[in-house]
Amino acid sequence: AKMRERQQQQAQRLAKVAQLRHRARKCVVVQPGDDWPPLGQASVAMEERADGLFVFRPSSAADARRTRALFAFAAQTGDPHALLGLLHAEPYHVEALLAMQRVFEATSQRAEA
């Protein structure tokens, strides 16, 4: 019974990802590339409000809290390797990317910034 439930959950997730990809393909501004992060699996999700505007929200409150705590710890250490560790786990974490950009600029590594 648990195996069947897992299969159903996986099928639902795949259907949702396919729906998100289809929806994203209708985007007027840009078409998502194959090298983009998987839609629906990021820590931030884009949702359409009732008034037609799109907003970004954490995909789950627990994930958002965990990621915020990891970023706060990495930022407090002052160690760029801690930020790189976070980026390894969350490669599209905006605050961590901006913090690494500042590190690269401070160390005159403008090409990496």
Side-chain angles (χ1 to χ4, degrees):
K2 287 188 178 186
M3 178 71 116
R4 185 179 210 184
E5 185 177 315
R6 283 187 207 149
Q7 289 174 339
Q8 287 176 340
Q9 289 174 345
Q10 179 67 17
Q12 288 173 343
R13 277 190 231 116
L14 290 173
K16 185 175 182 179
V17 168
Q19 181 184 24
L20 288 170
R21 282 201 181 277
H22 174 72
R23 189 178 205 187
R25 297 262 182 223
K26 294 193 288 186
C27 181
V28 176
V29 179
V30 67
Q31 298 255 341
D34 293 334
D35 59 336
W36 285 28
L39 298 173
Q41 294 179 356
S43 58
V44 177
M46 185 170 69
E47 299 174 356
E48 186 174 6
R49 295 188 331 193
D51 59 4
L53 293 176
F54 289 89
V55 294
F56 291 96
R57 298 196 190 283
S59 56
S60 79
D63 286 344
R65 280 193 302 273
R66 180 188 61 82
T67 304
R68 269 196 307 271
L70 288 172
F71 174 72
F73 174 76
Q76 286 176 353
T77 64
D79 181 11
H81 297 313
L83 286 170
L84 288 173
L86 173 61
L87 286 171
H88 182 71
E90 294 283 343
Y92 301 98
H93 187 270
V94 175
E95 290 174 301
L97 289 168
L98 290 171
M100 279 308 300
Q101 183 264 339
R102 288 190 295 271
V103 168
F104 285 134
E105 282 196 354
T107 58
S108 299
Q109 299 177 33
R110 301 225 190 292
E112 287 84 359

